Each structure stands twice: as C-alpha cells, then as structure tokens.
Amino acid sequence: AQRVTQPEKLLSVFKGAPVELKCNYSYSGSPELFWYVQYSRQRLQLLLRHISRESIKGFTADLNKGETSFHLKKPFAQEEDSAMYYCALGSGGYQKVTFGIGTKLQVIP
Amino acid sequence: DAGVIQSPRHEVTEMGQEVTLRCKPISGHDYLFWYRQTMMRGLELLIYFNNNVPIDDSGMPEDRFSAKMPNASFSTLKIQPSEPRDSAVYFCASSPSTSRPEQFFGPGTRLTVL
C-alpha cells in the first residue's frame, strides 16, 4: 500500500529563515512525487513535481529514493509563503494520487 | 477559463437526507477526481474517472456514496442517506492526460450533516 507521511502539522519559521517541510513516502513501485500548496482563500494548486527538477517560488525538492523522502526546501522564507503544503504520491500511471495530511507553514514577520 | 466548477459551495442538511454534489471539469481534461478532506484524515481520493469511465472507486467509503459522470463536462457525487460523519469538504479535480498528471482543483463543497 502506498502512504505519504508529513510529520509536522504546523511549522513556524521567521521571515528570512530557511524552511524544510518534511515528506516521506512508502511505495513499492516507481514513485512520482508532487508538492501542492493551498494559500488562504485560494484553490489547491500544484507547486512542483520531482520529475521537473525545477525551482518554483524559490522552493526545491529532491527525491531521495534511499531515504524515501521528498522534502520541500527554501533557503529564505517569505511572508507570502504562509500556506498549507501537501506532499503527494502518484501511482497507477501517476493519476491515482495519495496525499499527505498536510503541513501548515506559518512565516512570522 | 473559470477552472473546475463545483456546486453548491456550502451545503447544510439533516441526517438521512440525500445530498448531491456537482462538478464541471476543465474542458478537454481526460481525468476527473473526487476527494474528501477532513481534519483527521486529510485529503482522501474517493473515485476517479478517465474519459467518463470510473477507473478506481476503492476510496468510496460505503454503498451510501455513488458517483457518476454522464458526459465529459459533468459529474456528480451522491450521498444517500447522509450521516453526520460525512461532514467534510469535498473537492473535485481534473487533469489533462497521463503525460500531464497535474491536477486542477475546484473550490470545494463544504458539507455539514446535522
């Protein structure tokens, strides 16, 4: 069975501090990992996917198959980064997506 | 483009009543998904369709839940009879194709069953 674990429900950091949102997964096949974000009063939207290997809004995430992790990182947090972040695992041709429970990031001015 | 459209945005009903949630996916998207979000369990996939055909309904909690997609531009999620534990936010999402698995979410329907 596939599973996504986000150990922190709430992460508070000061503006300008580094951010790391943790995500671990369990899946026997070849994983497709995503990070989705939901800003206040906005829809849930894709932030980045591991296969793209890109940086979006200063965020990056590296797939570590040995540690089965896909942590989201940003070197300097901004107030506008405050949001709910969901790690997600794709299977079944990547269409069937299992979401983690989410981490609320709070950036303190 | 209005994106994925869901209606109603809020629904309050009494236990035992039938509830129907509606979704219009983005035109041209091949896949449609129904999710349920609760504080305890987070975002759970209930069912998804490919080209209007249900592919995986293993997340549907029980027989009280049913979903249909009669055409490419419309889907419903029905709960009959509803129970208080069904109270949650229900999201609909669509995605273009297998090669582009990004999901586009609707605003959600907040369901309260009294």
Side-chain angles (χ1 to χ4, degrees), chain A residues 44-64:
Chain A
L44 191 61
Q45 58 188 288
L46 180 69
L47 180 62
L48 53 81
R49 51 189 292 211
H50 90 269
I51 202 168
S52 300
R53 292 184 168 274
E54 55 192 346
S55 173
I56 303 293
K57 299 185 178 183
F59 285 98
T60 58
D62 291 318
L63 178 61
N64 186 323

Side-chain angles (χ1 to χ4, degrees), chain B residues 6-12 19-22 90 107-110:
Chain B
Q6 289 186 248
S7 65
R9 295 291 308 276
H10 302 273
E11 176 81 26
V12 180
V19 175
T20 299
L21 311 181
R22 298 173 176 79
Y90 291 82
T109 295
R110 182 174 295 277

Side-chain angles (χ1 to χ4, degrees), chain A residues 9 32 34 36 38 42-47 49 84 86 91-102, chain B residues 2-4 31 33 35 37 39-43 45 48 56 58 91 95 97-98 101-103 105-107:
Chain A
K9 285 197 172 181
E32 169 86 15
F34 308 84
Y36 279 78
Q38 188 172 25
Q42 293 188 29
R43 302 182 183 202
L44 191 61
Q45 58 188 288
L46 180 69
L47 180 62
R49 51 189 292 211
M84 279 293 293
Y86 296 89
S91 63
Y94 308 140
Q95 290 300 334
K96 183 172 182 177
V97 177
T98 299
F99 283 83
I101 201 159
Chain B
V4 175
Y31 290 85
F33 307 82
Y35 291 90
Q37 183 182 48
M39 289 291 290
M40 291 300 296
R41 301 172 69 92
L43 202 59
L45 176 65
Y48 77 95
D56 188 336
S58 59
F91 288 100
S95 73
S97 66
T98 303
E102 175 183 356
Q103 296 190 16
F105 281 77

Side-chain angles (χ1 to χ4, degrees), chain A:
Chain A
Q2 57 202 62
R3 186 182 302 138
V4 177
T5 302
Q6 293 181 253
E8 301 144 326
K9 285 197 172 181
L10 174 66
L11 180 65
S12 297
V13 301
F14 286 100
K15 178 182 173 180
V19 176
E20 183 178 49
L21 298 167
K22 291 184 167 46
C23 172
N24 288 88
Y25 67 91
S26 173
Y27 182 54
S28 57
S30 180
E32 169 86 15
L33 275 300
F34 308 84
W35 277 98
Y36 279 78
V37 61
Q38 188 172 25
Y39 301 101
S40 178
R41 297 189 178 85
Q42 293 188 29
R43 302 182 183 202
L44 191 61
Q45 58 188 288
L46 180 69
L47 180 62
L48 53 81
R49 51 189 292 211
H50 90 269
I51 202 168
S52 300
R53 292 184 168 274
E54 55 192 346
S55 173
I56 303 293
K57 299 185 178 183
F59 285 98
T60 58
D62 291 318
L63 178 61
N64 186 323
K65 291 187 177 181
E67 296 183 357
T68 60
S69 69
F70 188 57
H71 303 328
L72 184 67
K73 300 177 183 180
K74 185 171 182 177
F76 308 103
Q78 303 298 316
E79 289 181 63
E80 55 266 30
D81 297 328
S82 295
M84 279 293 293
Y85 290 82
Y86 296 89
C87 183
L89 168 66
S91 63
Y94 308 140
Q95 290 300 334
K96 183 172 182 177
V97 177
T98 299
F99 283 83
I101 201 159
T103 298
K104 182 175 182 178
L105 175 64
Q106 183 180 55
V107 180
I108 304 166

